[in-house]
Short mmCIF file of all heavy atoms in Angstrom, two decimals:
data_model
loop_
_atom_site.label_atom_id
_atom_site.label_comp_id
_atom_site.label_asym_id
_atom_site.label_seq_id
_atom_site.Cartn_x
_atom_site.Cartn_y
_atom_site.Cartn_z
N ILE A 119 50.56 35.81 57.85
CA ILE A 119 51.85 36.42 57.82
C ILE A 119 52.27 36.59 59.31
O ILE A 119 51.45 37.03 60.08
CB ILE A 119 51.75 37.85 57.11
CG1 ILE A 119 51.36 37.73 55.71
CG2 ILE A 119 53.14 38.53 57.26
CD1 ILE A 119 52.29 37.02 54.85
N SER A 120 53.45 36.15 59.60
CA SER A 120 53.98 36.22 60.95
C SER A 120 55.40 36.77 60.97
O SER A 120 56.12 36.59 60.01
CB SER A 120 53.87 34.85 61.66
OG SER A 120 54.80 33.93 61.01
N ILE A 121 55.73 37.53 62.07
CA ILE A 121 57.05 38.01 62.26
C ILE A 121 57.51 37.49 63.66
O ILE A 121 56.79 36.91 64.46
CB ILE A 121 57.08 39.57 62.24
CG1 ILE A 121 56.18 40.11 63.33
CG2 ILE A 121 56.65 40.08 60.85
CD1 ILE A 121 56.30 41.65 63.46
N SER A 122 58.82 37.74 63.92
CA SER A 122 59.27 37.43 65.32
C SER A 122 59.37 38.74 66.08
O SER A 122 59.92 39.73 65.69
CB SER A 122 60.72 36.87 65.20
OG SER A 122 61.18 36.62 66.47
N TYR A 123 58.83 38.64 67.33
CA TYR A 123 58.89 39.75 68.29
C TYR A 123 60.32 39.83 68.97
O TYR A 123 60.64 40.88 69.55
CB TYR A 123 57.77 39.73 69.30
CG TYR A 123 56.38 39.91 68.84
CD1 TYR A 123 55.31 39.68 69.77
CD2 TYR A 123 56.14 40.13 67.48
CE1 TYR A 123 53.94 39.81 69.32
CE2 TYR A 123 54.73 40.37 67.08
CZ TYR A 123 53.76 40.12 67.97
OH TYR A 123 52.41 40.37 67.59
N VAL A 124 60.93 38.67 69.01
CA VAL A 124 62.18 38.62 69.72
C VAL A 124 63.33 38.61 68.75
O VAL A 124 63.18 38.36 67.57
CB VAL A 124 62.25 37.32 70.60
CG1 VAL A 124 61.22 37.30 71.63
CG2 VAL A 124 62.18 36.08 69.70
N ASP A 125 64.48 39.00 69.29
CA ASP A 125 65.68 39.11 68.35
C ASP A 125 66.24 37.74 68.15
O ASP A 125 65.83 36.71 68.71
CB ASP A 125 66.76 40.09 68.94
CG ASP A 125 67.21 39.62 70.36
OD1 ASP A 125 67.03 38.40 70.71
OD2 ASP A 125 67.71 40.49 71.11
N GLU A 126 67.29 37.71 67.26
CA GLU A 126 67.86 36.48 66.88
C GLU A 126 68.46 35.63 68.08
O GLU A 126 68.40 34.45 68.09
CB GLU A 126 68.96 36.69 65.78
CG GLU A 126 69.50 35.49 65.30
CD GLU A 126 70.60 35.69 64.20
OE1 GLU A 126 70.45 36.75 63.44
OE2 GLU A 126 71.58 34.95 64.09
N GLU A 127 69.07 36.39 69.01
CA GLU A 127 69.67 35.71 70.14
C GLU A 127 68.60 34.80 70.92
O GLU A 127 68.92 33.70 71.29
CB GLU A 127 70.25 36.71 71.11
CG GLU A 127 70.99 36.12 72.27
CD GLU A 127 71.47 37.13 73.22
OE1 GLU A 127 71.36 38.27 72.97
OE2 GLU A 127 72.12 36.71 74.27
N ILE A 128 67.36 35.32 71.09
CA ILE A 128 66.38 34.56 71.73
C ILE A 128 65.78 33.57 70.71
O ILE A 128 65.45 32.39 71.09
CB ILE A 128 65.25 35.53 72.31
CG1 ILE A 128 65.90 36.44 73.24
CG2 ILE A 128 64.21 34.67 72.87
CD1 ILE A 128 66.47 35.79 74.55
N LEU A 129 65.63 33.90 69.53
CA LEU A 129 64.93 33.06 68.55
C LEU A 129 65.74 31.69 68.28
O LEU A 129 65.12 30.71 68.03
CB LEU A 129 64.85 33.78 67.27
CG LEU A 129 63.70 33.25 66.27
CD1 LEU A 129 62.37 33.32 66.89
CD2 LEU A 129 63.73 34.08 65.01
N THR A 130 67.01 31.78 68.57
CA THR A 130 67.84 30.57 68.34
C THR A 130 68.05 29.83 69.68
O THR A 130 68.88 28.88 69.73
CB THR A 130 69.28 31.02 67.84
OG1 THR A 130 69.86 32.05 68.70
CG2 THR A 130 69.22 31.55 66.49
N LYS A 131 67.28 30.07 70.72
CA LYS A 131 67.33 29.37 71.95
C LYS A 131 66.18 28.39 72.02
O LYS A 131 65.17 28.46 71.25
CB LYS A 131 67.14 30.39 73.09
CG LYS A 131 68.39 31.37 73.28
CD LYS A 131 69.61 30.62 73.78
CE LYS A 131 70.68 31.59 74.23
NZ LYS A 131 71.19 32.45 73.19
N PRO A 132 66.32 27.39 72.91
CA PRO A 132 65.28 26.42 73.07
C PRO A 132 63.92 27.03 73.46
O PRO A 132 63.78 28.16 73.84
CB PRO A 132 65.78 25.55 74.25
CG PRO A 132 67.27 25.68 74.24
CD PRO A 132 67.47 27.17 73.78
N THR A 133 62.77 26.22 73.34
CA THR A 133 61.51 26.69 73.48
C THR A 133 61.26 27.33 74.83
O THR A 133 60.64 28.37 74.89
CB THR A 133 60.55 25.49 73.35
OG1 THR A 133 60.76 24.79 72.04
CG2 THR A 133 59.06 25.98 73.42
N GLY A 134 61.74 26.69 75.97
CA GLY A 134 61.54 27.33 77.19
C GLY A 134 62.11 28.74 77.39
O GLY A 134 61.52 29.62 77.99
N VAL A 135 63.25 28.99 76.83
CA VAL A 135 63.82 30.40 76.86
C VAL A 135 62.93 31.35 76.10
O VAL A 135 62.69 32.47 76.52
CB VAL A 135 65.26 30.33 76.29
CG1 VAL A 135 65.82 31.74 76.36
CG2 VAL A 135 66.12 29.40 77.10
N ARG A 136 62.54 30.98 74.94
CA ARG A 136 61.69 31.79 74.10
C ARG A 136 60.40 32.09 74.78
O ARG A 136 59.85 33.30 74.86
CB ARG A 136 61.39 31.15 72.74
CG ARG A 136 62.68 30.85 71.95
CD ARG A 136 62.28 30.63 70.54
NE ARG A 136 61.26 29.64 70.27
CZ ARG A 136 61.50 28.19 70.18
NH1 ARG A 136 62.69 27.77 70.35
NH2 ARG A 136 60.41 27.47 70.03
N HIS A 137 59.77 31.12 75.44
CA HIS A 137 58.52 31.27 76.12
C HIS A 137 58.72 32.24 77.25
O HIS A 137 57.73 33.07 77.54
CB HIS A 137 57.95 29.97 76.66
CG HIS A 137 57.25 29.10 75.50
ND1 HIS A 137 56.59 28.01 75.79
CD2 HIS A 137 57.24 29.32 74.18
CE1 HIS A 137 56.08 27.46 74.61
NE2 HIS A 137 56.47 28.37 73.66
N GLU A 138 59.78 32.03 78.04
CA GLU A 138 59.97 33.02 79.19
C GLU A 138 60.01 34.38 78.76
O GLU A 138 59.43 35.33 79.39
CB GLU A 138 61.16 32.59 79.90
CG GLU A 138 61.47 33.39 81.14
CD GLU A 138 62.71 32.98 81.83
OE1 GLU A 138 63.50 32.12 81.38
OE2 GLU A 138 62.88 33.49 83.00
#
Side-chain angles (χ1 to χ4, degrees):
I119 300 295
S120 62
I121 60 175
S122 174
Y123 293 178
V124 298
D125 58 23
E126 181 177 332
E127 182 181 359
I128 299 298
L129 202 60
T130 53
K131 292 291 192 295
T133 304
V135 177
R136 303 195 307 273
H137 280 187
E138 181 179 9

